[in-house]
Amino acid sequence: MYSIPLQQRAAALDMVTQALRDSNQHICQRAIWLLPMIWPQGEAALPTLWDLIRTRSAEWPAIASDALIAAAQVRSE
């Protein structure tokens, strides 16, 4: 992801944001791991990430935990 030029990261961010909304927890997990790598554009996905945490934390606690970590990483960059 780091090798993607800044101009093309918007398209990558769109795909990752869509994956965060997927009903498959493994797809969501992979999207969460990729999100911090799409910096600085990754911060635009924070509302979707917070929504995932709010709606899925009881069902997918490990993913919600990883999402919190990713949110902190995206914001700290």
Side-chain angles (χ1 to χ4, degrees), residues 2-69:
Y2 291 119
S3 64
I4 297 174
L6 284 175
Q7 301 85 349
Q8 296 175 358
R9 289 186 188 179
L13 177 61
D14 185 46
M15 290 187 299
V16 170
T17 302
Q18 288 178 22
L20 288 171
R21 295 183 184 113
D22 201 279
S23 61
N24 183 314
Q25 65 179 348
H26 299 292
I27 292 173
C28 286
Q29 183 75 54
R30 290 181 182 144
I32 289 167
W33 291 339
L34 290 173
L35 192 58
M37 294 181 205
I38 309 172
W39 188 82
Q41 292 83 356
E43 193 168 359
L46 281 173
T48 306
L49 201 57
W50 292 125
D51 188 52
L52 172 69
I53 294 165
R54 222 178 12 261
T55 60
R56 300 288 184 151
S57 61
E59 186 180 356
W60 299 342
I63 289 178
S65 175
D66 287 346
L68 284 170
I69 293 168

